[in-house]
Amino acid sequence: MRGRVPAEGEDSRRARRLMERVHLGECGSAAEALSAGRQALAVYRRLAGSSPERYLPELAGCLSGLGVTLGELGRHGEALDAEREAVAVLRRLAAAEPARHLADLADALINLGATLAELGRPDEALRAEREAVSAYRRLAAADPGRYLADLAEVLAEVGMTLHERGLPVEALPLVVEAVTLLKGPVSTRPGMTETGMTETGLEETGAAGRHRARLDRAQAYLGTVLSALGRPAGA
């Protein structure tokens, strides 16, 4: 007869299932999602207190998810607290293991920037977003085949965010760089061959289709920013 599963394992599975319900949209309302996220957070805090090496990443992910839920409810002050804590945890993790945690830190910084902007703190928002771009630059420098397209996507999204805040001059170099990267050599594109085909030989599917979608979106953003500056597309 097998022994009883340790309480830590039971708690971890419960917290993970709570977060899955939130991420998969299984909660019946935003209030229910918030309740599930807070329950999961309480579990992960306890687990991270006893086994930080194992559970701090889960705690950070839970905090980030809770911040998004709070933001969707218009509770940006509470979202800010959760997202700042997530960033603080991920800074520690990324300092020790950048290959494992730096991308998560960058994503958390983007969420933090969006919340700071909602609270009317654009300078702080821009600092967070620039730090996110810097993190993706580090990742892309170390592994361009894996992260260069992600860097381009982040550059385009942050650029468009700046445009929406009425800062097209700051947005322009970011979206230009995004388009330039996405038009770069195919050898830097995950899953692509020199012929522009995917490794499976299926054109415009999988990696090729995702790359085309990213490029189209970045070019559309560039056109929008150029228009706001009174410059024709392609200038």
Side-chain angles (χ1 to χ4, degrees):
M1 179 178 178
R2 293 193 299 178
R4 189 174 183 277
V5 177
E8 180 179 300
E10 293 176 352
D11 283 349
S12 177
R13 280 194 298 276
R14 174 170 168 266
R16 192 169 293 115
R17 178 55 185 153
L18 284 165
M19 291 309 297
E20 285 174 355
R21 290 186 63 216
V22 174
H23 293 150
L24 295 173
E26 294 179 356
C27 298
S29 65
E32 185 180 343
L34 179 58
S35 176
R38 283 180 165 158
Q39 290 177 57
L41 179 61
V43 174
Y44 279 131
R45 284 197 191 284
R46 184 169 65 252
L47 293 173
S50 58
S51 301
E53 305 84 0
R54 183 174 178 183
Y55 290 109
L56 275 177
E58 283 81 356
L59 174 61
C62 186
L63 284 162
S64 292
L66 184 62
V68 170
T69 300
L70 286 162
E72 290 171 348
L73 289 168
R75 298 163 69 164
H76 301 296
E78 294 172 75
L80 180 62
D81 292 339
E83 288 163 0
R84 275 185 165 161
E85 186 178 355
V87 166
V89 172
L90 286 164
R91 280 192 205 285
R92 292 167 50 194
L93 294 170
E97 294 183 89
R100 183 180 173 192
H101 299 294
L102 194 57
D104 289 335
L105 172 59
D107 293 341
L109 284 162
I110 289 170
N111 289 342
L112 176 61
T115 297
L116 285 164
E118 287 285 353
L119 290 168
R121 297 158 73 168
D123 292 342
E124 293 174 75
L126 184 55
R127 281 197 295 273
E129 288 154 355
R130 282 178 171 161
E131 186 180 351
V133 169
S134 295
Y136 267 110
R137 288 195 192 283
R138 285 180 57 191
L139 291 165
D143 190 350
R146 181 175 181 184
Y147 288 111
L148 201 62
D150 289 337
L151 168 61
E153 187 169 28
V154 169
L155 285 164
E157 294 297 337
V158 171
M160 196 59 180
T161 297
L162 291 172
H163 161 72
E164 290 168 351
R165 291 180 199 154
L167 300 169
V169 172
E170 288 85 348
L172 182 60
L174 299 183
V175 291
V176 167
E177 185 180 359
V179 170
T180 301
L181 288 174
L182 290 166
K183 285 183 172 180
V186 296
S187 60
T188 62
R189 302 177 199 165
M192 293 289 290
T193 68
E194 290 296 328
T195 64
M197 304 286 284
T198 66
E199 291 169 347
T200 60
L202 298 177
E203 192 171 8
E204 293 301 309
T205 62
R210 288 193 298 274
H211 179 82
R212 170 52 60 186
R214 280 170 159 166
L215 177 56
D216 289 347
R217 186 161 54 248
Q219 289 177 318
Y221 288 174
L222 177 57
T224 299
V225 173
L226 287 170
S227 177
L229 292 168
R231 295 166 57 179

